[in-house]
Amino acid sequence: TAIRLLASTLSLIESFPPSDSKIFPQYIFKRIADLNTDTSLVVRIAFAETIASFAEISMRFLDISHAVRLYEVVGGSGAGGAGGSGNGNGIAGNGVVAASEGAANTSVFDDDITDLLDNKPKKKSLEPSDSGVESANSDAMLAAGRTVINSTYNADVAALHECVSRWVVHVTTDQSEHSSPTKRALLKDLPRLCNFFGLDGVMAFILPQILSFLNDRKDWQLRSSLFECLPSVCHIIGRAATEHYVLPCLETALVDAEETVVYTAINCLNRLIELNLLSRSMIIGVKTETDPTSSTSLLKKYGPLLIHPSTNIRHATATTVKVACDWVGFPDNQVFIVPLVQPFLRFQPSSRHLQSLDGIVKCLAKPWTRGKYQSELNKLHPTNSNTMSQTEWTSIGFHVQGTPENESIQIESTTKQFEESAELDVQSEAMLAYLKMVTRGRTKRATHKIDAIDKSLQG
């Protein structure tokens, strides 16, 4: 489409005249803004896909134009606009601004301008001169350059942010029947949008809007797409914000009714651990003094996924164990992590088993069948809870009935059965606890958490 071709063409521009430095806010953005409300879904999707590209290119144009203005203030104005063949400092002949995206080792500006952009003091020459006047003039030019940048650059950046944020908010808050495809298109280039807005912009615009996607219970593909790109957002906001705002939403996805969403949420969790965006206490838990057996560990809470009927979910959860073991290292992986997942293992894993995903998968206990999983889930559904007794939810429940003469025999038999299946009982209790969370997620939408996060971020 034309909008994709425009974005691709603009990304290829390597030089432009100073008069075109504000072509985006003054011309391009005004011409394409109406595409956000176009009647054609294909056009709206194409526009959503290119928002990040337009934002990134506009910021590049702005950075280059302001850097050239700074160069002119410092002392290169005559060389740039005199119509020469170029000076190698970012201004080509006839006042054309170079906007090349060349190699990192090639600097567009000379050392003086680079130091000024980095807010470094200009190196003074050690050679004797009538430098009293020259030094004063140099300092005055540096001060004037900083004044120009500080007075206009921030305002221009804010104008770009405001324009792009309006587009983002319009896409993310669209409640029309076919709004999900445009939202998924926006998520494709989310890392570039995060780089454009920076930390403050992500916290103000991006994060509250994309977390609201979890309120759409009809489109599981949108929820799945969100968790595929969420690690890039967490990389910007850091560990504290990730644990406070993102992790509660991630946990709602781990008990989602759609297994594809659960799978992508587990992969998102794995990526967050690899990026060191979750604290040790979140992963392996913290035991309190009042109750040493209690733990808030994610591994313990969602360990039952290791015996989930879905092969993809089991392997993704095994990857979580592998990533956590690599993260804490030896011998902490044997001391802290293995006991958390022990109920779901066939045997005690060695250090060699914990070093590979295949080794961990070999240690896993037999998964629940699809029929058993669905049967227990149906029992826990609130519509049936009034007619079911509590003992029906457990796999180890017995009631001794009979005459006094055979009562002792029945007790001995039941005790032996209980001892043999004690480990299975722990496993079943953990899985049933997980199924209860799934049931609560199905019967009561967890929007109150997301709405509270949204209000907290915006407040």
Side-chain angles (χ1 to χ4, degrees), residues 302-357:
Y302 300 103
L305 293 174
L306 289 169
I307 55 173
H308 194 278
S310 170
T311 303
N312 290 336
I313 291 179
R314 291 200 307 273
H315 278 248
T317 311
T319 303
T320 305
V321 177
K322 168 66 168 54
V323 171
C325 289
D326 293 342
W327 187 70
V328 300
F330 180 83
D332 287 356
N333 53 6
Q334 290 278 4
V335 176
F336 297 107
I337 293 181
V338 171
L340 295 175
V341 298
Q342 186 66 53
F344 315 106
L345 304 179
R346 292 188 295 112
F347 54 86
Q348 179 74 18
S350 63
S351 58
R352 183 172 59 85
H353 286 112
L354 298 178
Q355 292 176 359
S356 66
L357 178 59

Side-chain angles (χ1 to χ4, degrees), residues 243 283 355:
E243 293 184 348
I283 300 173
Q355 292 176 359

Side-chain angles (χ1 to χ4, degrees), residues 134-282:
E134 292 183 2
S135 178
N137 291 337
S138 177
D139 292 341
M141 286 188 294
L142 291 175
R146 292 192 181 99
T147 301
V148 170
I149 292 296
N150 292 333
S151 62
T152 61
Y153 181 77
N154 291 336
D156 291 341
V157 170
L160 292 179
H161 284 178
E162 181 182 2
C163 182
V164 177
S165 65
R166 286 200 303 267
W167 298 341
V168 173
V169 170
H170 184 275
V171 172
T172 56
T173 57
D174 186 9
Q175 299 297 324
S176 62
E177 182 180 358
H178 303 290
S179 62
S180 293
T182 57
K183 295 176 181 178
R184 294 199 299 269
L186 181 68
L187 291 175
K188 290 181 179 179
D189 258 348
L190 192 59
R192 298 171 71 180
L193 270 180
C194 292
N195 291 332
F196 171 76
F197 281 110
L199 175 59
D200 294 338
V202 169
M203 296 296 292
F205 303 120
I206 301 298
L207 189 60
Q209 298 300 325
I210 63 175
L211 290 183
S212 66
F213 291 171
L214 295 178
N215 290 332
D216 189 348
R217 308 309 298 176
K218 296 180 180 180
D219 188 0
W220 63 266
Q221 292 177 322
L222 177 60
R223 302 197 302 276
S224 179
S225 299
L226 171 63
F227 289 104
E228 289 177 356
C229 63
L230 203 52
S232 62
V233 181
C234 297
H235 183 69
I236 298 290
I237 65 178
R239 175 188 288 183
T242 297
E243 293 184 348
H244 188 67
Y245 298 119
V246 177
L247 189 57
C249 299
L250 179 61
E251 291 195 59
T252 64
L254 291 174
V255 294
D256 197 277
E258 288 290 339
E259 293 184 355
T260 304
V261 178
V262 178
Y263 173 71
T264 54
I266 298 173
N267 288 333
C268 177
L269 176 63
N270 297 341
R271 185 59 180 154
L272 294 182
I273 297 176
E274 291 175 343
L275 293 174
N276 198 25
L277 292 174
L278 295 178
S279 62
R280 184 186 180 97
S281 61
M282 286 290 180

Side-chain angles (χ1 to χ4, degrees), residues 31-48:
R31 298 285 293 180
I32 65 176
D34 293 339
L35 299 178
N36 207 11
T37 56
D38 196 275
T39 56
S40 173
L41 178 60
V42 176
V43 174
R44 297 200 304 272
I45 292 176
F47 179 75

Side-chain angles (χ1 to χ4, degrees), residues 1-16:
T1 60
I3 188 67
R4 292 191 180 97
L5 180 59
L6 176 61
S8 177
T9 302
L10 290 172
S11 66
L12 299 176
I13 295 178
E14 296 183 353
S15 62
F16 57 91

